[in-house]
Amino acid sequence: MIRPFLPICKLLFLAIFCLSVNGVTRESDLLLRWSFDEGSGSNSQNLIGTGLDVILHPGVTWGNEANGTAKSGYSLDLSSGTSRASVIHDARLQASNDFSILFWFKSNGTPEDFAQLLSKREGTFSSYFVQIDPNGGSLKTLFRKYGTYYDTGSIPFTPNDWHLLAASHDGEKISSYLDGKLIYETIQNDPIFVEEGSLGIGGTADGGSLFNGWIDDLRIYGKALSPEDIQN
């Protein structure tokens, strides 16, 4: 009577193990997530909480994992470099003293100088953004603190390949990661800049500094992710 119970236990163990392996890093700390797996239409649904869908502006289409233009399932196809996606302002988008962004990206050739993969901006000031360096072979993540922009140095990447980018802010330390590895970090105690602008994906929300490539699985956390979190 006891022996049949063993296979059931094994199955339950395997199911739990698979969920833990394939689950989302720090899922309980996620504020927002867009997987971009719709594959059609002009919106992408926020998978955490309610509201805040991504709006695909004319010129943005969908990448597909089958041909390498999505990391998983589908992605935002910004490869023409002529448009962007955006999200209207919400407090969950605002940088704080416990905050991280994480997403996959792939450029279509060499990106334009100063193109922005992500931009949280109101008027002429951004609380955070990710920007391509001159010559297109590296990028920076930047946070605005008390009127000054701080970055963690240039982060080289390989054009035409998928990369996982993450940046975190814990109130003092700004850290940047590429493909699961800590690249740079800097300490700055000034308060984070607060604004009420929209989030631009693949450029600024109003259509400037456009990025030519693909972006997949964008996540915003209410937690400064650790190196162990990023590696997982």
Side-chain angles (χ1 to χ4, degrees):
M1 297 296 294
I2 297 175
R3 294 179 64 85
F5 184 69
L6 293 176
I8 295 173
C9 289
K10 290 180 180 179
L11 288 172
L12 287 172
F13 173 79
L14 287 172
I16 293 169
F17 176 77
C18 289
L19 283 171
S20 65
V21 169
N22 297 319
V24 176
T25 298
R26 286 278 186 180
E27 187 167 9
S28 62
D29 293 311
L30 270 171
L31 298 176
L32 299 159
R33 183 189 179 197
W34 300 276
S35 66
F36 305 124
D37 279 339
E38 288 83 357
S40 63
S42 58
N43 295 77
S44 184
Q45 183 181 3
N46 165 35
L47 302 178
I48 307 296
T50 57
L52 284 197
D53 289 356
V54 168
I55 300 167
L56 281 65
H57 294 273
V60 179
T61 57
W62 301 91
N64 193 318
E65 184 181 4
N67 61 19
T69 59
K71 185 61 181 177
S72 176
Y74 296 93
S75 72
L76 280 186
D77 186 344
L78 307 148
S79 59
S80 67
T82 60
S83 193
R84 80 290 183 198
S86 64
V87 186
I88 62 173
H89 169 70
D90 185 273
R92 288 169 287 177
L93 293 167
Q94 180 57 54
S96 68
N97 289 342
D98 227 356
F99 179 82
S100 300
I101 55 175
L102 183 150
F103 62 93
W104 290 92
F105 75 94
K106 176 182 179 179
S107 67
N108 183 22
T110 301
E112 294 291 325
D113 296 355
F114 306 113
Q116 295 189 3
L117 287 76
L118 208 63
S119 174
K120 179 68 169 67
R121 173 176 165 180
E122 181 180 22
T124 58
F125 299 114
S126 302
S127 57
Y128 58 90
F129 60 102
V130 179
Q131 181 171 275
I132 299 294
D133 288 333
N135 301 319
S138 59
L139 56 76
K140 290 185 176 76
T141 61
L142 299 98
F143 287 84
R144 184 177 175 84
K145 304 192 72 177
Y146 201 63
T148 301
Y149 290 107
Y150 296 95
D151 67 76
T152 50
S154 293
I155 304 171
F157 66 91
T158 304
N160 304 308
D161 284 347
W162 280 105
H163 298 283
L164 179 66
L165 180 71
S168 67
H169 175 254
D170 67 2
E172 294 183 352
K173 183 168 59 180
I174 302 171
S175 305
S176 294
Y177 304 80
L178 189 73
D179 299 331
K181 297 179 180 179
L182 176 64
I183 305 300
Y184 296 109
E185 58 184 24
T186 185
I187 303 294
Q188 175 45 244
N189 295 320
D190 287 342
I192 197 74
F193 176 66
V194 176
E195 43 69 51
E196 296 184 352
S198 298
L199 178 70
I201 306 170
T204 62
D206 60 2
S209 304
L210 297 174
F211 169 69
N212 52 300
W214 298 266
I215 291 177
D216 206 354
D217 200 3
L218 170 60
R219 309 176 194 179
I220 296 180
Y221 289 86
K223 176 73 175 178
L225 297 177
S226 68
E228 291 76 20
D229 294 330
I230 304 295
Q231 290 168 5
N232 291 332

